[in-house]
Amino acid sequence: MEIVIQPPEVNTIRIIDSHTGGEPTRVVIGGFPDLGLGSIARKQKVFQAEYDHYRQALVNEPRGSDIQIGALLVPSDDPLCLTGVIFFNNIGYLGMCGHGTMGILAVLSHLGKINPGPHRLDTSVGIVTATLHEDGSVSVQNVPGYRYRKQASVQIDGEKGSGDIAWGGNWFFLCDAPSIDLIPRNTEALIDYTWKIRHALCAHGITGKDGQEIDHIELSGPSPNSEADSRNFVLCPGKAYDRSPCGTGTSAKLCCLFKDGKLKQGQIWRQESIVGTIFEGSIKQINSQLIPTIKGIAFVNATTDLILNPEDPFCWGIPTE
Ligand code: PYC
């Protein structure tokens, strides 16, 4: 299917914005340079090497903000896939993005390009199947997840702490919340705390598989909402926190719960975010693989053509470094 819709003018990029549980996704549907042929991972490398200034123009200030996630739709080599997608943020690129995948389906439905049912999307870390339901909600069957290390030790503020290291399409360090309540009023303290964990992991060479950087930190705690099983706070790579319960973070959490015998196959886990939005998650085991599915809903809130004016000193965003 041809998703790309060219904007009417050169030097414009056509985007559609949405949010999923409060977390924004900016889907790029036209006006982006051709990234050539090959896998999504290869196209992502070309994006990074040759067009990183487009990433900055799309998600950084003055057009975006630190919390903005971008999703560039690109053709997939796999004829069974609806589209390929490259996810990016204020500092770089993401493997998978759960809330962003829900946003893409909401956008394609808004454009009349898809009907309810399952749709395969090709990401740089593998194929996911996202099902659009009649009520607009979306279930994302993610790439296989796993717990890489149980209760890895790390010094946080001179005190010994520990957490699980797990893959859910991105790398996560998952630990219990400290004595700071997981409520919006405490976001600054929670950012400080999780940023210290992030630095401690780097300083002590604690990584995911094959030395991959753990760039998301997920705190879990009780929820004041009796409908949720837990509330989380997820620090994203560029120091923004996820307003949604984080699809890949929830996937990583489901794998840990399953391994600890706290969640059975098919059992629903209701993961709440710091702002009170919920994803429903479940896990199934196929042979030795754990396949997480997460369900939520995204709302389209803007359709825009961004203008790339060479006279504008911040045409390519305000530099972040
Ligand atoms: O939903 O997977 C997610 C996600 C990753 C970063 C922000 N949201």
Side-chain angles (χ1 to χ4, degrees):
M1 179 196 295
E2 183 59 68
I3 303 285
V4 171
I5 299 168
Q6 285 307 330
E9 319 237 346
V10 291
N11 289 344
T12 59
I13 304 180
R14 181 151 289 182
I15 56 156
I16 302 193
D17 283 344
S18 64
H19 80 88
T20 314
E23 182 76 353
T25 306
R26 177 159 287 177
V27 180
V28 181
I29 59 164
F32 200 90
D34 183 7
L35 297 178
L37 300 174
S39 67
I40 303 302
R42 190 186 170 280
K43 290 186 172 110
Q44 183 166 308
K45 281 197 181 129
V46 175
F47 187 163
Q48 186 163 10
E50 293 176 32
Y51 301 106
D52 195 57
H53 51 300
Y54 274 84
R55 175 186 64 74
Q56 297 173 45
L58 278 158
V59 294
N60 286 353
E61 296 177 16
R63 299 185 192 85
S65 76
D66 280 353
I67 75 167
Q68 186 71 60
I69 300 288
L72 171 66
L73 302 186
V74 290
S76 165
D77 281 349
D78 184 334
L80 296 179
C81 284
L82 172 68
T83 182
V85 53
I86 300 171
F87 291 109
F88 51 98
N89 64 13
N90 55 338
I91 59 154
Y93 298 81
L94 289 167
M96 226 305 273
C97 181
H99 91 268
T101 303
M102 296 172 197
I104 292 170
L105 261 69
V107 163
L108 296 179
S109 166
H110 174 82
L111 291 171
K113 295 268 180 192
I114 57 167
N115 290 319
H119 301 281
R120 284 159 58 94
L121 276 75
D122 198 357
T123 78
S124 65
V125 294
I127 290 171
V128 301
T129 301
T131 301
L132 177 66
H133 302 289
E134 294 285 348
D135 67 356
S137 62
V138 176
S139 299
V140 182
Q141 185 181 289
N142 200 353
V143 294
Y146 59 98
R147 176 161 66 189
Y148 176 62
R149 279 179 70 185
K150 183 177 162 80
Q151 292 302 298
S153 299
V154 60
Q155 290 283 329
I156 312 160
D157 259 351
E159 287 190 20
K160 195 170 165 225
S162 62
D164 287 354
I165 299 173
W167 171 255
N170 295 299
W171 280 106
F172 288 83
F173 186 84
L174 302 105
C175 55
D176 291 337
S179 53
I180 310 172
D181 288 341
L182 299 184
I183 52 173
R185 185 160 27 95
N186 290 338
T187 48
E188 279 195 26
L190 292 164
I191 290 172
D192 278 357
Y193 183 77
T194 45
W195 196 242
K196 280 182 189 148
I197 299 180
R198 171 94 192 270
H199 278 285
L201 296 174
C202 282
H204 295 100
I206 300 169
T207 67
K209 198 173 168 208
D210 300 328
Q212 291 181 71
E213 187 179 356
I214 302 166
D215 55 5
H216 291 76
I217 312 296
E218 179 168 347
L219 304 177
S220 295
S223 165
N225 173 0
S226 59
E227 291 189 358
D229 291 301
S230 139
R231 177 175 274 196
N232 71 15
F233 174 87
V234 178
L235 187 77
C236 297
K239 215 178 174 183
Y241 68 91
D242 199 333
R243 274 64 172 168
S244 86
C246 192
T248 50
T250 300
S251 299
K253 169 99 183 170
L254 295 171
C255 294
C256 298
L257 289 165
F258 181 79
K259 280 288 172 191
D260 287 335
K262 293 181 179 160
L263 189 72
K264 299 191 186 71
Q265 278 202 70
Q267 189 183 338
I268 300 293
W269 179 264
R270 291 172 63 81
Q271 183 63 59
E272 188 184 42
S273 74
I274 182 88
V275 306
T277 50
I278 290 186
F279 284 167
E280 284 183 3
S282 64
I283 202 137
K284 73 178 170 201
Q285 187 168 22
I286 300 180
N287 302 322
S288 61
Q289 289 195 319
L290 297 182
I291 316 285
T293 296
I294 37 143
K295 183 177 176 198
I297 187 159
F299 295 91
V300 169
N301 52 18
T303 65
T304 310
D305 284 342
L306 300 180
I307 297 168
L308 299 172
N309 174 2
E311 305 290 315
D312 175 354
F314 295 129
C315 174
W316 301 108
I318 299 176
T320 49
E321 282 173 359

Short mmCIF file of all heavy atoms in Angstrom, two decimals, residues 14-70:
data_model
loop_
_atom_site.label_atom_id
_atom_site.label_comp_id
_atom_site.label_asym_id
_atom_site.label_seq_id
_atom_site.Cartn_x
_atom_site.Cartn_y
_atom_site.Cartn_z
N ARG A 14 4.83 16.76 5.52
CA ARG A 14 3.45 16.55 5.99
C ARG A 14 3.46 15.61 7.20
O ARG A 14 4.03 14.51 7.13
CB ARG A 14 2.60 15.98 4.86
CG ARG A 14 1.18 15.77 5.26
CD ARG A 14 0.24 15.89 4.09
NE ARG A 14 0.11 17.27 3.64
CZ ARG A 14 -0.69 17.66 2.65
NH1 ARG A 14 -1.42 16.77 2.00
NH2 ARG A 14 -0.77 18.92 2.30
N ILE A 15 2.84 16.07 8.26
CA ILE A 15 2.80 15.26 9.49
C ILE A 15 1.38 15.15 10.02
O ILE A 15 0.55 16.03 9.75
CB ILE A 15 3.68 15.87 10.61
CG1 ILE A 15 3.26 17.32 10.90
CG2 ILE A 15 5.15 15.81 10.26
CD1 ILE A 15 3.62 17.78 12.28
N ILE A 16 1.15 14.10 10.77
CA ILE A 16 -0.10 14.00 11.53
C ILE A 16 0.28 13.66 12.97
O ILE A 16 1.02 12.71 13.23
CB ILE A 16 -1.05 12.94 10.94
CG1 ILE A 16 -1.37 13.29 9.47
CG2 ILE A 16 -2.33 12.88 11.77
CD1 ILE A 16 -2.50 12.53 8.86
N ASP A 17 -0.22 14.49 13.89
CA ASP A 17 0.09 14.29 15.32
C ASP A 17 -1.03 13.53 16.01
O ASP A 17 -2.22 13.67 15.65
CB ASP A 17 0.23 15.65 16.01
CG ASP A 17 1.56 16.33 15.73
OD1 ASP A 17 2.49 15.64 15.27
OD2 ASP A 17 1.68 17.54 16.00
N SER A 18 -0.63 12.78 17.00
CA SER A 18 -1.62 12.09 17.84
C SER A 18 -1.03 11.98 19.24
O SER A 18 0.15 12.30 19.45
CB SER A 18 -1.89 10.69 17.29
OG SER A 18 -0.71 9.91 17.38
N HIS A 19 -1.85 11.55 20.18
CA HIS A 19 -1.26 11.15 21.47
C HIS A 19 -1.89 9.84 21.89
O HIS A 19 -3.02 9.51 21.51
CB HIS A 19 -1.46 12.24 22.54
CG HIS A 19 -2.82 12.23 23.17
ND1 HIS A 19 -3.12 11.44 24.27
CD2 HIS A 19 -3.95 12.87 22.84
CE1 HIS A 19 -4.40 11.63 24.58
NE2 HIS A 19 -4.92 12.48 23.73
N THR A 20 -1.11 9.08 22.62
CA THR A 20 -1.57 7.79 23.13
C THR A 20 -1.38 7.86 24.65
O THR A 20 -0.25 7.94 25.11
CB THR A 20 -0.70 6.64 22.57
OG1 THR A 20 -0.53 6.81 21.17
CG2 THR A 20 -1.32 5.28 22.87
N GLY A 21 -2.46 7.90 25.36
CA GLY A 21 -2.34 7.98 26.83
C GLY A 21 -1.54 9.19 27.26
O GLY A 21 -0.87 9.16 28.29
N GLY A 22 -1.58 10.28 26.47
CA GLY A 22 -0.88 11.51 26.83
C GLY A 22 0.48 11.65 26.17
O GLY A 22 1.06 12.73 26.17
N GLU A 23 1.01 10.58 25.59
CA GLU A 23 2.36 10.63 24.98
C GLU A 23 2.21 10.90 23.47
O GLU A 23 1.51 10.18 22.76
CB GLU A 23 3.08 9.30 25.23
CG GLU A 23 4.49 9.22 24.69
CD GLU A 23 5.54 10.00 25.52
OE1 GLU A 23 5.17 10.72 26.47
OE2 GLU A 23 6.73 9.86 25.19
N PRO A 24 2.89 11.95 22.97
CA PRO A 24 2.67 12.31 21.57
C PRO A 24 3.45 11.47 20.56
O PRO A 24 4.55 10.99 20.85
CB PRO A 24 3.17 13.77 21.52
CG PRO A 24 4.15 13.88 22.62
CD PRO A 24 3.77 12.89 23.67
N THR A 25 2.87 11.35 19.37
CA THR A 25 3.57 10.73 18.22
C THR A 25 3.34 11.62 17.01
O THR A 25 2.20 12.03 16.74
CB THR A 25 2.99 9.33 17.90
OG1 THR A 25 3.00 8.54 19.08
CG2 THR A 25 3.82 8.62 16.83
N ARG A 26 4.39 11.94 16.32
CA ARG A 26 4.32 12.75 15.09
C ARG A 26 4.63 11.82 13.92
O ARG A 26 5.79 11.42 13.72
CB ARG A 26 5.33 13.89 15.20
CG ARG A 26 5.42 14.75 13.98
CD ARG A 26 6.02 16.11 14.33
NE ARG A 26 5.04 16.91 15.06
CZ ARG A 26 5.27 18.13 15.56
NH1 ARG A 26 6.47 18.68 15.40
NH2 ARG A 26 4.34 18.80 16.19
N VAL A 27 3.60 11.48 13.16
CA VAL A 27 3.80 10.55 12.03
C VAL A 27 4.09 11.37 10.78
O VAL A 27 3.34 12.27 10.42
CB VAL A 27 2.55 9.66 11.83
CG1 VAL A 27 2.77 8.70 10.67
CG2 VAL A 27 2.25 8.86 13.10
N VAL A 28 5.20 11.02 10.12
CA VAL A 28 5.62 11.73 8.90
C VAL A 28 5.06 10.96 7.72
O VAL A 28 5.42 9.79 7.50
CB VAL A 28 7.16 11.79 8.80
CG1 VAL A 28 7.58 12.55 7.56
CG2 VAL A 28 7.75 12.41 10.06
N ILE A 29 4.19 11.62 6.94
CA ILE A 29 3.58 10.88 5.82
C ILE A 29 3.96 11.43 4.45
O ILE A 29 3.52 10.91 3.44
CB ILE A 29 2.04 10.83 5.96
CG1 ILE A 29 1.46 12.24 6.00
CG2 ILE A 29 1.60 10.03 7.17
CD1 ILE A 29 -0.04 12.26 5.75
N GLY A 30 4.78 12.48 4.39
CA GLY A 30 5.18 12.98 3.08
C GLY A 30 6.24 14.05 3.17
O GLY A 30 6.40 14.71 4.20
N GLY A 31 7.00 14.19 2.07
CA GLY A 31 7.97 15.27 1.98
C GLY A 31 9.34 14.92 2.53
O GLY A 31 10.23 15.77 2.56
N PHE A 32 9.53 13.65 2.95
CA PHE A 32 10.82 13.25 3.51
C PHE A 32 11.70 12.68 2.39
O PHE A 32 11.19 11.99 1.50
CB PHE A 32 10.60 12.19 4.60
CG PHE A 32 11.77 12.07 5.55
CD1 PHE A 32 11.82 12.84 6.71
CD2 PHE A 32 12.82 11.20 5.28
CE1 PHE A 32 12.90 12.75 7.57
CE2 PHE A 32 13.90 11.10 6.14
CZ PHE A 32 13.95 11.88 7.29
N PRO A 33 13.02 12.93 2.43
CA PRO A 33 13.89 12.37 1.38
C PRO A 33 13.82 10.84 1.32
O PRO A 33 13.58 10.19 2.33
CB PRO A 33 15.29 12.83 1.79
CG PRO A 33 15.09 13.92 2.78
CD PRO A 33 13.76 13.71 3.42
N ASP A 34 14.08 10.32 0.13
CA ASP A 34 14.09 8.87 -0.08
C ASP A 34 15.31 8.27 0.63
O ASP A 34 16.43 8.76 0.47
CB ASP A 34 14.18 8.63 -1.59
CG ASP A 34 14.14 7.16 -1.94
OD1 ASP A 34 13.90 6.34 -1.04
OD2 ASP A 34 14.36 6.85 -3.14
N LEU A 35 15.10 7.22 1.42
CA LEU A 35 16.22 6.60 2.16
C LEU A 35 16.80 5.40 1.43
O LEU A 35 17.63 4.67 1.98
CB LEU A 35 15.74 6.19 3.56
CG LEU A 35 15.29 7.35 4.47
CD1 LEU A 35 14.78 6.82 5.80
CD2 LEU A 35 16.41 8.36 4.69
N GLY A 36 16.38 5.17 0.19
CA GLY A 36 16.95 4.07 -0.60
C GLY A 36 16.33 2.74 -0.25
O GLY A 36 15.31 2.66 0.43
N LEU A 37 17.00 1.69 -0.71
CA LEU A 37 16.46 0.34 -0.55
C LEU A 37 17.05 -0.35 0.66
O LEU A 37 18.02 0.12 1.24
CB LEU A 37 16.78 -0.48 -1.82
CG LEU A 37 16.21 0.07 -3.13
CD1 LEU A 37 16.73 -0.74 -4.31
CD2 LEU A 37 14.69 0.07 -3.09
N GLY A 38 16.48 -1.51 1.00
CA GLY A 38 17.06 -2.33 2.07
C GLY A 38 16.12 -2.45 3.26
O GLY A 38 14.99 -1.98 3.24
N SER A 39 16.65 -3.08 4.29
CA SER A 39 15.86 -3.34 5.49
C SER A 39 15.57 -2.02 6.22
O SER A 39 16.20 -0.99 5.95
CB SER A 39 16.64 -4.26 6.43
OG SER A 39 17.77 -3.55 6.90
N ILE A 40 14.68 -2.08 7.18
CA ILE A 40 14.37 -0.87 7.97
C ILE A 40 15.60 -0.46 8.78
O ILE A 40 15.90 0.73 8.90
CB ILE A 40 13.15 -1.11 8.89
CG1 ILE A 40 11.93 -1.54 8.06
CG2 ILE A 40 12.83 0.15 9.70
CD1 ILE A 40 11.50 -0.57 6.99
N ALA A 41 16.34 -1.44 9.29
CA ALA A 41 17.56 -1.11 10.05
C ALA A 41 18.54 -0.35 9.15
O ALA A 41 19.19 0.62 9.58
CB ALA A 41 18.20 -2.38 10.60
N ARG A 42 18.63 -0.77 7.88
CA ARG A 42 19.54 -0.08 6.97
C ARG A 42 19.03 1.33 6.67
O ARG A 42 19.80 2.30 6.65
CB ARG A 42 19.68 -0.89 5.67
CG ARG A 42 20.78 -0.36 4.80
CD ARG A 42 20.92 -0.98 3.44
NE ARG A 42 21.86 -0.18 2.69
CZ ARG A 42 21.52 0.96 2.09
NH1 ARG A 42 20.28 1.41 2.15
NH2 ARG A 42 22.44 1.65 1.44
N LYS A 43 17.73 1.45 6.43
CA LYS A 43 17.16 2.78 6.15
C LYS A 43 17.37 3.70 7.36
O LYS A 43 17.62 4.90 7.22
CB LYS A 43 15.67 2.67 5.84
CG LYS A 43 15.39 2.00 4.48
CD LYS A 43 13.92 2.03 4.13
CE LYS A 43 13.70 1.55 2.71
NZ LYS A 43 13.06 0.27 2.61
N GLN A 44 17.27 3.13 8.56
CA GLN A 44 17.49 3.93 9.77
C GLN A 44 18.93 4.46 9.81
O GLN A 44 19.18 5.59 10.22
CB GLN A 44 17.19 3.08 11.00
CG GLN A 44 17.32 3.85 12.30
CD GLN A 44 16.69 3.11 13.47
OE1 GLN A 44 15.54 2.69 13.39
NE2 GLN A 44 17.44 2.92 14.52
N LYS A 45 19.87 3.61 9.37
CA LYS A 45 21.29 4.05 9.35
C LYS A 45 21.47 5.22 8.38
O LYS A 45 22.19 6.17 8.65
CB LYS A 45 22.20 2.89 8.94
CG LYS A 45 22.44 1.95 10.08
CD LYS A 45 23.64 1.04 9.80
CE LYS A 45 23.80 0.09 10.98
NZ LYS A 45 23.90 -1.29 10.63
N VAL A 46 20.79 5.13 7.22
CA VAL A 46 20.89 6.22 6.24
C VAL A 46 20.26 7.50 6.81
O VAL A 46 20.82 8.60 6.69
CB VAL A 46 20.20 5.81 4.91
CG1 VAL A 46 20.19 6.96 3.91
CG2 VAL A 46 20.88 4.58 4.31
N PHE A 47 19.11 7.35 7.45
CA PHE A 47 18.43 8.49 8.11
C PHE A 47 19.42 9.16 9.06
O PHE A 47 19.66 10.37 9.01
CB PHE A 47 17.20 7.93 8.85
CG PHE A 47 16.25 8.94 9.48
CD1 PHE A 47 14.97 8.55 9.85
CD2 PHE A 47 16.62 10.26 9.71
CE1 PHE A 47 14.07 9.44 10.44
CE2 PHE A 47 15.73 11.16 10.30
CZ PHE A 47 14.46 10.75 10.67
N GLN A 48 20.03 8.35 9.92
CA GLN A 48 20.93 8.86 10.95
C GLN A 48 22.16 9.54 10.35
O GLN A 48 22.58 10.60 10.77
CB GLN A 48 21.34 7.70 11.85
CG GLN A 48 22.15 8.10 13.04
CD GLN A 48 22.16 6.99 14.09
OE1 GLN A 48 21.71 5.87 13.84
NE2 GLN A 48 22.67 7.30 15.25
N ALA A 49 22.73 8.87 9.33
CA ALA A 49 24.00 9.37 8.76
C ALA A 49 23.78 10.59 7.88
O ALA A 49 24.61 11.51 7.87
CB ALA A 49 24.67 8.26 7.96
N GLU A 50 22.67 10.62 7.13
CA GLU A 50 22.54 11.68 6.12
C GLU A 50 21.44 12.70 6.40
O GLU A 50 21.49 13.81 5.89
CB GLU A 50 22.28 11.04 4.74
CG GLU A 50 23.49 10.26 4.25
CD GLU A 50 23.22 9.55 2.94
OE1 GLU A 50 22.44 10.07 2.13
OE2 GLU A 50 23.79 8.45 2.76
N TYR A 51 20.48 12.31 7.20
CA TYR A 51 19.31 13.21 7.36
C TYR A 51 18.96 13.45 8.82
O TYR A 51 17.82 13.73 9.15
CB TYR A 51 18.10 12.62 6.62
CG TYR A 51 18.35 12.42 5.15
CD1 TYR A 51 18.55 11.14 4.64
CD2 TYR A 51 18.40 13.52 4.29
CE1 TYR A 51 18.81 10.96 3.29
CE2 TYR A 51 18.66 13.34 2.95
CZ TYR A 51 18.86 12.05 2.45
OH TYR A 51 19.11 11.88 1.12
N ASP A 52 19.95 13.35 9.70
CA ASP A 52 19.63 13.53 11.12
C ASP A 52 19.07 14.94 11.40
O ASP A 52 18.30 15.12 12.35
CB ASP A 52 20.88 13.25 11.97
CG ASP A 52 20.51 13.06 13.43
OD1 ASP A 52 19.69 12.17 13.73
OD2 ASP A 52 20.98 13.84 14.28
N HIS A 53 19.45 15.91 10.55
CA HIS A 53 18.91 17.26 10.74
C HIS A 53 17.38 17.27 10.55
O HIS A 53 16.69 18.09 11.15
CB HIS A 53 19.61 18.28 9.83
CG HIS A 53 19.68 17.90 8.39
ND1 HIS A 53 20.30 16.77 7.93
CD2 HIS A 53 19.17 18.52 7.29
CE1 HIS A 53 20.20 16.70 6.61
NE2 HIS A 53 19.51 17.74 6.21
N TYR A 54 16.86 16.36 9.75
CA TYR A 54 15.39 16.27 9.61
C TYR A 54 14.76 15.80 10.93
O TYR A 54 13.70 16.26 11.32
CB TYR A 54 15.02 15.29 8.50
CG TYR A 54 14.99 15.92 7.12
CD1 TYR A 54 16.16 16.06 6.38
CD2 TYR A 54 13.79 16.35 6.56
CE1 TYR A 54 16.14 16.63 5.12
CE2 TYR A 54 13.77 16.93 5.29
CZ TYR A 54 14.94 17.06 4.58
OH TYR A 54 14.92 17.63 3.33
N ARG A 55 15.45 14.84 11.59
CA ARG A 55 14.94 14.39 12.90
C ARG A 55 14.83 15.59 13.85
O ARG A 55 13.80 15.78 14.51
CB ARG A 55 15.89 13.33 13.50
CG ARG A 55 15.49 12.90 14.92
CD ARG A 55 16.52 11.97 15.54
NE ARG A 55 17.82 12.59 15.74
CZ ARG A 55 18.11 13.49 16.68
NH1 ARG A 55 17.18 13.86 17.55
NH2 ARG A 55 19.31 14.01 16.77
N GLN A 56 15.89 16.39 13.86
CA GLN A 56 15.90 17.53 14.79
C GLN A 56 14.83 18.55 14.41
O GLN A 56 14.18 19.13 15.27
CB GLN A 56 17.28 18.16 14.79
CG GLN A 56 18.33 17.17 15.30
CD GLN A 56 19.75 17.70 15.17
OE1 GLN A 56 20.02 18.84 15.49
NE2 GLN A 56 20.65 16.87 14.70
N ALA A 57 14.64 18.75 13.10
CA ALA A 57 13.60 19.70 12.65
C ALA A 57 12.22 19.20 13.04
O ALA A 57 11.34 19.99 13.41
CB ALA A 57 13.68 19.87 11.14
N LEU A 58 12.03 17.89 12.99
CA LEU A 58 10.70 17.32 13.22
C LEU A 58 10.29 17.27 14.68
O LEU A 58 9.13 17.48 15.02
CB LEU A 58 10.64 15.90 12.64
CG LEU A 58 10.39 15.84 11.13
CD1 LEU A 58 10.87 14.53 10.54
CD2 LEU A 58 8.90 16.02 10.87
N VAL A 59 11.25 16.91 15.56
CA VAL A 59 10.82 16.69 16.96
C VAL A 59 11.38 17.69 17.97
O VAL A 59 10.85 17.78 19.07
CB VAL A 59 11.11 15.24 17.45
CG1 VAL A 59 10.28 14.23 16.68
CG2 VAL A 59 12.58 14.90 17.40
N ASN A 60 12.43 18.40 17.60
CA ASN A 60 12.98 19.32 18.59
C ASN A 60 12.32 20.70 18.48
O ASN A 60 11.62 21.00 17.52
CB ASN A 60 14.50 19.43 18.43
CG ASN A 60 15.20 18.17 18.95
OD1 ASN A 60 14.55 17.30 19.53
ND2 ASN A 60 16.48 18.06 18.71
N GLU A 61 12.57 21.53 19.49
CA GLU A 61 12.04 22.89 19.45
C GLU A 61 12.64 23.61 18.24
O GLU A 61 13.74 23.28 17.82
CB GLU A 61 12.44 23.63 20.75
CG GLU A 61 11.81 23.00 21.97
CD GLU A 61 12.27 23.70 23.26
OE1 GLU A 61 12.81 24.84 23.20
OE2 GLU A 61 12.10 23.10 24.32
N PRO A 62 11.98 24.58 17.62
CA PRO A 62 10.71 25.17 18.05
C PRO A 62 9.46 24.46 17.54
O PRO A 62 8.37 24.83 17.96
CB PRO A 62 10.79 26.59 17.46
CG PRO A 62 11.63 26.45 16.24
CD PRO A 62 12.64 25.37 16.54
N ARG A 63 9.59 23.42 16.68
CA ARG A 63 8.35 22.77 16.20
C ARG A 63 7.89 21.67 17.13
O ARG A 63 6.74 21.27 17.12
CB ARG A 63 8.57 22.19 14.80
CG ARG A 63 8.93 23.20 13.74
CD ARG A 63 9.00 22.53 12.39
NE ARG A 63 9.60 23.39 11.38
CZ ARG A 63 10.90 23.51 11.17
NH1 ARG A 63 11.75 22.81 11.92
NH2 ARG A 63 11.35 24.31 10.24
N GLY A 64 8.83 21.10 17.89
CA GLY A 64 8.49 19.97 18.76
C GLY A 64 8.93 20.26 20.18
O GLY A 64 9.05 21.41 20.60
N SER A 65 9.19 19.20 20.93
CA SER A 65 9.64 19.36 22.32
C SER A 65 10.32 18.05 22.72
O SER A 65 10.27 17.06 21.98
CB SER A 65 8.46 19.62 23.25
OG SER A 65 7.77 18.40 23.47
N ASP A 66 10.93 18.05 23.91
CA ASP A 66 11.67 16.85 24.34
C ASP A 66 10.80 15.60 24.40
O ASP A 66 11.31 14.49 24.33
CB ASP A 66 12.28 17.09 25.74
CG ASP A 66 13.55 17.90 25.65
OD1 ASP A 66 14.01 18.16 24.52
OD2 ASP A 66 14.08 18.27 26.71
N ILE A 67 9.50 15.78 24.58
CA ILE A 67 8.68 14.57 24.76
C ILE A 67 8.17 14.02 23.42
O ILE A 67 7.56 12.96 23.39
CB ILE A 67 7.49 14.80 25.73
CG1 ILE A 67 6.36 15.61 25.09
CG2 ILE A 67 7.97 15.48 27.00
CD1 ILE A 67 5.09 15.55 25.94
N GLN A 68 8.43 14.74 22.34
CA GLN A 68 7.86 14.33 21.04
C GLN A 68 8.56 13.07 20.49
O GLN A 68 9.79 13.02 20.44
CB GLN A 68 8.03 15.47 20.04
CG GLN A 68 7.37 15.23 18.71
CD GLN A 68 5.86 15.29 18.80
OE1 GLN A 68 5.29 16.29 19.18
NE2 GLN A 68 5.22 14.18 18.49
N ILE A 69 7.77 12.10 20.11
CA ILE A 69 8.31 10.92 19.41
C ILE A 69 7.90 11.04 17.95
O ILE A 69 6.75 11.37 17.64
CB ILE A 69 7.73 9.61 19.99
CG1 ILE A 69 8.06 9.47 21.48
CG2 ILE A 69 8.22 8.39 19.20
CD1 ILE A 69 9.49 9.16 21.83
N GLY A 70 8.85 10.77 17.05
CA GLY A 70 8.56 10.81 15.62
C GLY A 70 8.46 9.40 15.06
O GLY A 70 9.07 8.46 15.59
#
